[in-house]
């Protein structure tokens, strides 16, 4: 049994806890938190909650630590720090900062003879895999990534910061006609506006000016100005009833040509439809635990990403069984 | 530049030759054949065609040999034989015989300190990857593989063996309502008949009995009896005009549950739409050449499958560039 620690007990940490219950080869050993341990109520009976200051006492009791903090401030500090002492998995998802995060984690993990797998999830993660496979196999082509329909936390936050907004949720929606054009193999040039639509549900503060809020949303640079945005004003009840979910998903599509004169079209499409973004991301993190253990057994220390992991490393089946049953 | 040899110059060998022209890091060095070398006319100028009996003269001039023979009789003999002397890639696709093929190739390649990657293509191949990733990430779920719309060579051959049939082509067609049921996350139990339809286009010999041929097709055990089959009789002109293509494709879909009470549905879908089956399969073979070279550089000899290959090994980009651009 692989002994697992969870650091951070928000939506993702709870998702990992649930995913571990589906994994017959892993055991949750402890949950670590910066909060008062007594304030956490776990879903799993009998698992201790430990203050983060005592984490080094658990060095020999945990095979892999799953880091469930956020990419903005938690992981850039935590992953290099913990990779000195534990094999770790994180879901660092700030694409532009992956090279520097990788470098920091790699030197920490190598110093400690540990394995770290970073940026695990679905984008970065499974979508990255799809991009690399498709790009390598069809060098003469174009790759498109579409996100949604799903909630963008960053865009929802941006709307909530507008004066007069009490609550808000923003959905990113891929535009069906763009998807169809890409799937047809035409390799269209698509502007930002042509790929995704933004839909916002807003609960206003009493007395707020709806027209002014709508104008502020639609003209917000970076977040909305380059998109067509639909704004709906709803009341708190409807907000809670219909907009509390965390569904997400998306598409990676590559179209490319083969044949001597590029006479053959090919379309490779990978898609996800997820009722709960954090629960699914957690399931990906848990599968990569097995890879961390296999790298450690091979004394292959340092930082890795999903691009470095042989697919067989994710499975609890033996290589021979995989060849027989799934190849 | 990676120096490539091709063994076997049918549809797949020609597809590899075309794919190499899109790969800036590889050079086609020679094509090997059992036929009279003078009888082969390559698409690429200046590349020698060599009789297979002289292949060992090329041992130090070729980095990876791509074996383009058939799975029925060629590859079971050729891959173990060639893996003693060359790094090899094959597209062995008889699923049931993969374990014994693997064992034979593995001991040959290890004896020669060579790398062999077998069963490369899209099924087995890219579809196998999708099955293993999805199975590992959503342990609580069901995986479905659909093929088509595309030509089944085996079924076309079976129809051509019926008395009175001059020519025939069989298309395997996934049934749209089954695809939709799977995508909905309902995890339906589907019989063979409910997953795929078979459509056959037949050119009759003069004087043949159409009704009798149709009855023989539809009741043929293993090939057609378990399916709904539609038979069309057409003339030779229409056959040549409309049924000479080699398009194929298919879908791997896994639906699975996450959450403490399995309250969240998730659907992972991977699909291919290919104008030419052999041209695409060839492109996959060529991408795995880079993996063979990287395994050799790491002195990791023996037989591998796509499940053993880190995705980054397929790319001509550096690991750092992949992390920056595609992760």
């Amino acid at each position: 049994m692989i002994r697992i620690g969870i650091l951070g007990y928000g939506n993702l940490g709870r998702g990992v806890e649930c995913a571990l219950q589906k994994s017959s080869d892993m055991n949750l050993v402890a949950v670590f938190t910066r909060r008062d341990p007594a304030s956490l109520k776990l879903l799993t009976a009998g698992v201790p909650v430990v203050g983060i200051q005592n984490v080094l006492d658990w060095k020999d009791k945990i095979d892999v630590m799953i880091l469930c903090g956020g990419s903005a401030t938690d992981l850039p500090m935590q992953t290099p720090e913990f990779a000195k002492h534990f094999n770790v998995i994180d879901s660092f998802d700030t694409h532009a900062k992956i090279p520097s995060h990788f470098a920091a984690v790699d030197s920490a993990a190598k110093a400690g003879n540990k394995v770290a797998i970073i940026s695990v999830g679905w984008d970065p993660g499974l979508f990255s895999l799809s991009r690399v496979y498709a790009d390598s196999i069809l060098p003469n082509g174009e790759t498109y990534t579409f996100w949604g329909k799903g909630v963008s936390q960053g865009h929802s936050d941006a709307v909530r910061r507008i004066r007069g907004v009490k609550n808000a949720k923003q959905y990113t929606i891929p535009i069906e006609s763009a998807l169809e054009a890409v799937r047809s193999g035409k390799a269209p040039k698509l502007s930002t506006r042509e790929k995704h639509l933004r839909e916002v549900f807003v609960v206003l503060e009493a007395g707020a000016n709806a027209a002014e809020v709508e104008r502020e949303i639609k003209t917000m640079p970076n977040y909305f100005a380059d998109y067509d945005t639909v704004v709906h004003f709803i009341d708190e009840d409807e907000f809670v009833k219909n907009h509390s979910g965390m569904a997400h998903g998306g598409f990676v599509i590559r179209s490319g040509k083969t044949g001597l004169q590029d006479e053959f079209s090919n379309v490779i499409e990978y898609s996800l439809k997820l009722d709960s973004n954090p629960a699914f991301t957690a399931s990906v993190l848990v599968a990569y635990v097995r890879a961390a253990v296999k790298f450690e057994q091979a004394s292959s220390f340092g930082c890795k990403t999903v691009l470095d992991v042989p697919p067989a490393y994710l499975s609890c089946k033996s290589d021979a069984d995989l060849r027989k049953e799934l190849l």
Side-chain angles (χ1 to χ4, degrees), chain A residues 18 94 102 132 143 169 172 233 243 249 286-287 291-292 303-304:
Chain A
C18 293
T94 313
F102 182 92
V132 169
T143 301
K169 202 114 188 194
T172 306
F233 294 100
H243 300 286
V286 166
C303 188
K304 324 275 180 186

Side-chain angles (χ1 to χ4, degrees), chain A residues 120-200:
Chain A
V120 176
W122 58 274
D123 196 358
L126 304 180
F127 275 18
S128 322
L129 294 175
S130 291
R131 288 188 285 261
V132 169
Y133 280 121
D135 181 84
S136 303
I137 287 160
L138 293 175
N140 182 18
E142 284 293 331
T143 301
Y144 301 80
T145 302
F146 291 87
W147 297 274
K149 180 183 176 176
V151 176
S152 163
Q153 213 46 65
H155 287 78
S156 300
D157 290 347
V159 174
R160 276 195 293 267
R161 283 192 294 266
I162 294 173
R163 201 159 52 94
V165 172
K166 188 175 174 198
N167 214 340
K169 202 114 188 194
Q170 194 270 186
Y171 297 93
T172 306
I173 304 171
I175 293 174
E176 195 57 43
S177 59
L179 276 170
E180 286 309 319
V182 168
R183 282 184 189 126
S184 75
K186 280 187 212 117
K189 287 250 174 278
L190 294 171
S191 67
T192 298
R193 192 179 301 273
E194 287 167 326
K195 285 183 71 187
H196 294 94
L197 182 79
R198 300 201 176 277
E199 189 172 22
V200 191

Side-chain angles (χ1 to χ4, degrees), chain A residues 27-287:
Chain A
N27 246 346
L28 178 59
V29 168
V31 171
F32 299 89
T33 182
R34 285 174 301 197
R35 293 182 265 171
D36 172 9
S39 71
L40 259 60
K41 177 104 187 69
L42 303 192
L43 304 168
T44 320
V47 172
V49 180
V50 180
I52 194 170
Q53 68 283 358
N54 298 320
V55 70
L56 290 184
D57 299 345
W58 293 74
K59 222 169 129 38
D60 300 323
K61 295 174 198 146
I62 282 172
D63 298 310
V64 180
M65 185 76 84
I66 305 181
L67 306 181
C68 297
S71 296
T73 56
D74 300 333
L75 298 175
M77 302 293 291
Q78 287 174 350
T79 313
E81 190 53 39
F82 277 73
K84 292 178 198 162
H85 307 291
F86 295 93
N87 299 315
V88 297
I89 314 275
D90 84 15
S91 64
F92 185 77
D93 67 358
T94 313
H95 288 261
K97 293 184 179 166
I98 286 175
S100 60
H101 188 59
F102 182 92
V105 175
D106 192 46
S107 63
K110 280 179 176 153
N113 279 353
K114 296 295 175 191
V115 177
I117 311 182
I118 62 161
S119 300
V120 176
W122 58 274
D123 196 358
L126 304 180
F127 275 18
S128 322
L129 294 175
S130 291
R131 288 188 285 261
V132 169
Y133 280 121
D135 181 84
S136 303
I137 287 160
L138 293 175
N140 182 18
E142 284 293 331
T143 301
Y144 301 80
T145 302
F146 291 87
W147 297 274
K149 180 183 176 176
V151 176
S152 163
Q153 213 46 65
H155 287 78
S156 300
D157 290 347
V159 174
R160 276 195 293 267
R161 283 192 294 266
I162 294 173
R163 201 159 52 94
V165 172
K166 188 175 174 198
N167 214 340
K169 202 114 188 194
Q170 194 270 186
Y171 297 93
T172 306
I173 304 171
I175 293 174
E176 195 57 43
S177 59
L179 276 170
E180 286 309 319
V182 168
R183 282 184 189 126
S184 75
K186 280 187 212 117
K189 287 250 174 278
L190 294 171
S191 67
T192 298
R193 192 179 301 273
E194 287 167 326
K195 285 183 71 187
H196 294 94
L197 182 79
R198 300 201 176 277
E199 189 172 22
V200 191
F201 291 83
V202 178
V203 181
L204 289 173
E205 306 272 13
N209 179 336
E212 177 56 22
V213 167
E214 181 163 348
R215 197 195 57 76
E216 276 200 57
I217 294 172
K218 290 184 170 178
T219 57
M220 194 186 296
N222 302 320
Y223 285 86
F224 292 97
D226 297 335
Y227 295 85
D228 289 333
T229 302
V230 180
V231 180
H232 307 274
F233 294 100
I234 59 176
D235 63 28
E236 189 82 45
D237 285 353
E238 190 187 336
F239 191 87
V240 170
K241 187 166 155 241
N242 296 331
H243 300 286
S244 299
M246 292 180 287
H248 218 314
F251 306 81
V252 176
I253 308 176
R254 185 170 182 88
S255 71
K257 301 290 187 184
T258 52
L260 193 65
Q261 258 106 42
D262 294 337
E263 65 271 37
F264 303 124
S265 280
N266 305 273
V267 179
I268 303 176
E269 176 167 346
Y270 183 77
S271 70
L272 296 172
K273 213 174 83 200
L274 315 170
D275 272 1
S276 164
N277 184 355
F280 184 80
T281 300
S283 299
V284 184
L285 290 168
V286 166

